[in-house]
Amino acid sequence: MTSIEVWNQGRFKRVQDQFQQGSLPHAILLMGPEGIGRENFAQSLAEWLLCLNRQDEACGECKSCFLFEAGHHPDYHLLDIEQDKTQISVGQVRELITAMQESSHQGGWKVANITNVQAMNASSFNALLKTLEEPQDNTLLILQTSQLQGVPLTIRSRAQLLSLSVDGSEEVKAWLIERQGNMTQALEAAINLFPQAPYKAEDFGVNGDTLKYAEFIVQINDLVAGKGSPIEMAQFWHEELADAVFWMQLMVRDILLLQQANKEADLLFMQQKQELEGLAKAINGQGWLLLLEKINELQRLIKQKSPVNLMASWQSLLIFVTQIASKYKPLD
Ligand SMILES: [Zn+2]
């Protein structure tokens, strides 16, 4: 099963076993966070079920596999949020149901893959519920979601829950080494940051965010040393405000670790250890915790897409850094 990520293989095999035993459910509620390989899992399962020579995985050579890979298998129905929309509409669901009621074009299984079940509204759910209540033979509905919240109980109770998770970081490390050639400190830090989202970890570890983080730490160090201007720094990160606030949160996390004994090994950003140690010595834990509260507050505003002036909040956060630098000095 080369196409399935190593941490998902056990669960994939279990679904295949259910199929072989004739106990495959009509609907699977496939839950997993972004970046864990959920979409690949769903598509690989669909391709395998539709394959006319299926073995451990889809053969990739039969007519069905050919149609699937070309993106227009008549017995496979992919349902996603349409462009510029935020919800899956009831019209889309009805179309899907009609298509699923037709007899199979290739004489085998029919599979529907709904990629964002949590983005369905009440009437879409009701339409879907009808098919779940009267399932047809040789059909599988894959309902993907990143969370159970927002999926009604009536849907949940008619689908088998299959929850994807990464059970240990060793498999992720091996997978990243295979893909990237070696394990860098940035990748190492990224695995700690996104333990349940290896694809996100890969993106974060490879795409240079860590360089910007290094620049960010240098500027914070200047602020704390009384050399930099909070207003200029706020302006500098203006375009990447959300990232900068996120990095600040990671920075405080590392600093608080450094202020405890023997926690160095858990640092996210080992490469910035020297700068972080400087910061850990310049302001005491109480000061950093106060800052963390303000960071969390600002992150909430960013997430809620709050209409408040984020730039002003960002500036006052950086001014606050200079304030704790003078008020919360360590005792020694
Ligand atoms: Zn095939």
Side-chain angles (χ1 to χ4, degrees):
M1 275 187 293
T2 49
S3 59
I4 298 287
E5 300 82 4
V6 54
W7 57 89
N8 286 334
Q9 284 177 2
R11 287 179 182 86
F12 196 82
K13 177 82 174 48
R14 251 170 277 154
V15 180
Q16 291 180 313
D17 288 345
Q18 279 190 312
F19 173 80
Q20 309 290 9
Q21 292 153 7
S23 59
L24 191 71
H26 287 290
I28 290 177
L29 183 57
L30 184 64
M31 183 169 74
E34 296 302 324
I36 202 169
R38 192 185 70 215
E39 185 57 42
N40 183 39
F41 192 106
Q43 287 192 20
S44 302
L45 179 59
E47 184 173 12
W48 180 78
L49 262 183
L50 295 167
C51 173
L52 304 172
N53 298 317
R54 74 179 86 80
Q55 292 178 355
D56 281 351
E57 50 188 303
C59 75
E61 288 165 0
C62 69
K63 189 181 174 200
S64 182
C65 285
F66 178 76
L67 285 169
F68 190 92
E69 275 156 32
H72 37 75
H73 195 298
D75 297 322
Y76 175 65
H77 306 283
L78 179 68
L79 198 61
D80 201 352
I81 304 169
E82 287 173 336
Q83 234 182 340
D84 304 325
K85 299 270 168 64
T86 55
Q87 287 192 326
I88 289 175
S89 70
V90 64
Q92 282 178 285
V93 176
R94 288 205 181 111
E95 243 174 73
L96 173 81
I97 291 167
T98 312
M100 289 294 277
Q101 279 162 348
E102 287 171 18
S103 56
S104 156
H105 292 260
Q106 296 295 314
W109 277 67
K110 290 177 288 179
V111 183
N113 177 12
I114 305 182
T115 59
N116 279 291
V117 171
Q118 77 277 7
M120 288 172 62
N121 57 29
S123 39
S124 307
F125 275 126
N126 275 333
L128 183 67
L129 199 55
K130 293 214 176 75
T131 32
L132 287 173
E133 281 166 343
E134 297 154 23
Q136 291 180 298
D137 285 344
N138 297 345
T139 59
L140 175 69
L141 265 169
I142 303 172
L143 311 171
Q144 292 189 55
T145 185
S146 54
Q147 56 189 41
L148 280 184
Q149 207 189 356
V151 183
L153 266 174
T154 46
I155 301 284
R156 283 193 238 167
S157 63
R158 285 172 177 82
Q160 176 188 306
L161 178 65
L162 202 164
S163 180
L164 300 179
S165 67
V166 177
D167 298 323
S169 63
E170 288 311 310
E171 287 177 337
V172 175
K173 274 187 196 162
W175 178 79
L176 282 171
I177 289 170
E178 205 186 313
R179 287 163 67 92
Q180 296 297 331
N182 61 345
M183 179 53 54
T184 61
Q185 284 187 335
L187 279 173
E188 195 92 52
I191 294 173
N192 289 331
L193 267 182
F194 305 106
Q196 290 298 319
Y199 282 104
K200 264 193 200 168
E202 181 176 44
D203 191 38
F204 191 86
V206 172
N207 291 329
D209 275 354
T210 45
L211 281 180
K212 285 191 188 161
Y213 179 81
E215 168 67 25
F216 179 78
I217 292 282
V218 166
Q219 293 189 15
I220 289 284
N221 247 310
D222 282 352
L223 272 195
V224 168
K227 286 189 282 188
S229 145
I231 304 299
E232 275 170 29
M233 182 169 175
Q235 195 54 42
F236 185 92
W237 297 97
H238 173 228
E239 302 271 314
E240 292 159 300
L241 198 154
D243 284 348
V245 177
F246 177 55
W247 291 329
M248 200 187 235
Q249 188 188 34
L250 303 180
M251 177 194 82
V252 176
R253 176 201 179 273
D254 272 357
I255 291 170
L256 291 171
L257 277 176
L258 281 172
Q259 290 184 334
Q260 300 166 45
N262 306 319
K263 291 282 189 186
E264 273 180 34
D266 297 331
L267 282 190
L268 287 175
F269 291 96
M270 204 53 93
Q271 274 167 315
Q272 275 72 43
K273 188 168 157 236
Q274 218 184 330
E275 289 88 346
L276 290 165
E277 273 173 345
L279 290 168
K281 284 186 192 130
I283 298 171
N284 68 25
Q286 199 193 348
W288 290 120
L289 283 173
L290 284 172
L291 179 66
L292 194 57
E293 271 176 38
K294 293 204 179 284
I295 295 170
N296 292 340
E297 227 170 87
L298 182 50
Q299 273 193 325
R300 264 194 300 277
L301 294 177
I302 294 170
K303 271 194 194 126
Q304 292 163 355
K305 300 191 167 55
S306 161
V308 299
N309 186 343
L310 291 177
M311 192 55 190
S313 307
W314 171 227
Q315 281 177 357
S316 46
L317 190 67
L318 291 171
I319 293 170
F320 189 71
V321 172
T322 62
Q323 290 169 346
I324 58 168
S326 59
K327 279 191 216 145
Y328 292 89
K329 289 194 196 305
L331 283 178
D332 65 358

